[in-house]
Amino acid sequence: MQNVLVTGGAGYIGAVVVDDLLRSGFKVTVIDRFSRGNISLMQHCHFPELSFFAGDVRDEKLMKKHIKSADFIISLAALVSPKACENQEDLAIDINIKSIDLLNSLRADSQPLFFISTNIGYGTQSKISCYDESSPLEPNSIYGKTKVAAESIVSRRGEYIIFRPASAYGISPAMKNHLLLHYYVSRAVAEGALVVYEPEAIRNFIHVRDISRAILHCMKNYNEMKNNIFNLGSSNSNLTKREIVELIRESLPTLYTHFAEISQDPDNRNYLVSNEKIENSGFICKYSLKDGISELIKYYKLLKQVTRE
């Protein structure tokens, strides 16, 4: 039985990945600060193959102890989102760069490292019509800059795969309400109205379960896919904010929407992203934005009922 070390395994993506790994027959070790509590992993306590440790990925002693027994390492621990990183730049550098440098230095040459980056790193300075993995990295935010720096660290050595996920969505045991689609659906359900800025800005999207599926796909086909960088999104989900709102309106037809230039995305995200490289490896996203909107509406309607009670 192969052992997988997952840092940040109690987070939004990590909780789904850990579930899929356990159900696929892996032994899983999770290191997480559990800053939001450990509720997201409690449902897995009956798995004897799961171990989890409350700790910081910057703790060299802790990391050294658990890395040595790992057959695969999945790095998900990060200070996520542009706003969080702008407000805590030193912490962002510590967690998003220095901890990755430590992790990379502690692993053996035979231990594959899967690093979850972001397509935010492309920025918008070059204004390329469609960004692929060879496009220049010109991040506009601290978050993007720290992820690009971490990619450089990981790729110094062999035995790695770097993912650049699109904007994530979908239900996870560790929900995040600030994600763009989550925010839109939650406001639509709670208030019946949305104010949307930069309506023609284009985003690429991916369901959190497809992120997990892609990781397992690359583990299964590691020898053919190693030492590569992959954009990770749905080719059917390069949409403008206006188009996203229209998809939500199909399920919530009374939704009122007002488009107003009241703000600006801190990353200036507005670009098409190509996912052809990972698709050519045999991986195709299973979940659509309509699937995600449907499950999110159910979730936020239930949350609204529970909150009222």
Side-chain angles (χ1 to χ4, degrees):
M1 181 179 291
Q2 289 184 305
N3 182 36
V4 185
L5 173 63
V6 185
T7 68
Y12 173 68
I13 296 174
V16 177
V17 172
V18 167
D19 179 72
D20 282 349
L21 287 170
L22 289 169
R23 296 183 189 281
S24 298
F26 291 95
K27 183 178 179 181
V28 181
T29 301
V30 172
I31 295 178
D32 198 295
R33 291 192 298 170
F34 296 100
S35 56
R36 299 171 61 189
N38 54 8
I39 302 302
S40 66
L41 293 180
M42 289 302 96
Q43 62 181 312
H44 303 304
C45 286
H46 68 286
F47 281 95
E49 299 84 8
L50 173 65
S51 302
F52 46 86
F53 301 90
D56 197 305
V57 289
R58 296 169 291 177
D59 183 336
E60 183 172 352
K61 184 178 178 181
L62 175 71
M63 296 304 295
K64 186 179 292 186
K65 176 181 178 181
H66 295 291
I67 282 176
K68 59 185 178 183
S69 60
D71 296 297
F72 286 93
I73 303 165
I74 300 175
S75 175
L76 283 160
L79 187 63
V80 181
S81 90
K83 186 175 181 180
C85 291
E86 291 289 345
N87 294 336
Q88 305 173 86
E89 184 173 345
D90 289 343
L91 184 61
I93 291 170
D94 260 6
I95 296 176
N96 295 1
I97 300 177
K98 292 181 180 179
S99 77
I100 301 302
D101 196 16
L102 173 64
L103 177 60
N104 202 45
S105 68
L106 292 176
R107 70 184 176 108
D109 291 337
S110 60
Q111 290 177 299
L113 173 57
F114 286 27
F115 177 64
I116 314 302
S117 185
T118 172
N119 70 20
I120 289 174
Y122 290 123
T124 53
Q125 297 176 45
S126 293
K127 301 188 183 303
I128 295 170
S129 58
C130 186
Y131 286 78
D132 63 23
E133 292 81 358
S134 65
S135 300
L137 296 171
E138 301 167 326
N140 300 310
S141 67
I142 297 298
Y143 175 56
K145 289 174 182 177
T146 59
K147 283 294 192 177
V148 168
E151 282 192 26
S152 177
I153 291 168
V154 171
S155 61
R156 287 176 195 162
R157 301 178 62 181
E159 304 300 328
Y160 70 87
I161 291 178
I162 294 171
F163 298 96
R164 292 175 181 163
S167 295
Y169 65 91
I171 300 299
S172 160
M175 281 296 286
K176 284 190 172 181
N177 295 320
H178 73 270
L179 298 172
L180 182 66
L181 189 63
H182 294 194
Y183 177 76
Y184 279 5
V185 174
S186 67
R187 293 300 88 205
V189 169
E191 300 173 3
L194 270 178
V195 178
V196 178
Y197 61 87
E198 297 181 318
E200 307 311 323
I202 299 172
R203 291 274 194 101
N204 191 215
F205 291 86
I206 185 168
H207 197 288
V208 64
R209 293 194 177 278
D210 278 326
I211 295 176
S212 183
R213 289 179 60 244
I215 291 171
L216 266 72
H217 169 79
C218 290
M219 291 173 68
K220 182 179 179 180
N221 301 283
Y222 179 70
N223 287 333
E224 294 77 29
M225 300 183 73
K226 68 180 181 179
N227 302 333
N228 270 296
I229 299 171
F230 296 100
N231 287 339
L232 188 52
S234 170
S235 291
N236 296 322
S237 298
N238 276 302
L239 300 177
T240 65
K241 292 180 179 179
R242 188 186 298 275
E243 289 171 325
I244 296 163
V245 170
E246 290 308 313
L247 281 178
I248 297 171
R249 201 193 307 277
E250 288 180 14
S251 297
L252 299 172
T254 60
L255 175 66
Y256 171 77
T257 307
H258 178 64
F259 297 101
E261 295 303 320
I262 58 171
S263 187
Q264 185 178 20
D265 191 316
D267 276 305
N268 303 123
R269 276 176 279 183
N270 182 16
Y271 42 75
L272 289 169
V273 178
S274 169
N275 303 294
E276 184 177 348
K277 185 176 179 181
I278 196 164
E279 290 172 347
N280 286 341
S281 76
F283 176 78
I284 301 294
C285 287
K286 179 179 178 180
Y287 301 94
S288 69
L289 274 169
K290 285 187 177 182
D291 295 330
I293 290 168
S294 177
E295 69 181 53
L296 287 167
I297 288 173
K298 289 180 186 178
Y299 171 76
Y300 285 113
K301 281 185 175 180
L302 176 60
L303 199 63
K304 186 177 181 180
Q305 293 174 35
V306 171
T307 303
R308 282 178 177 174
E309 292 177 2

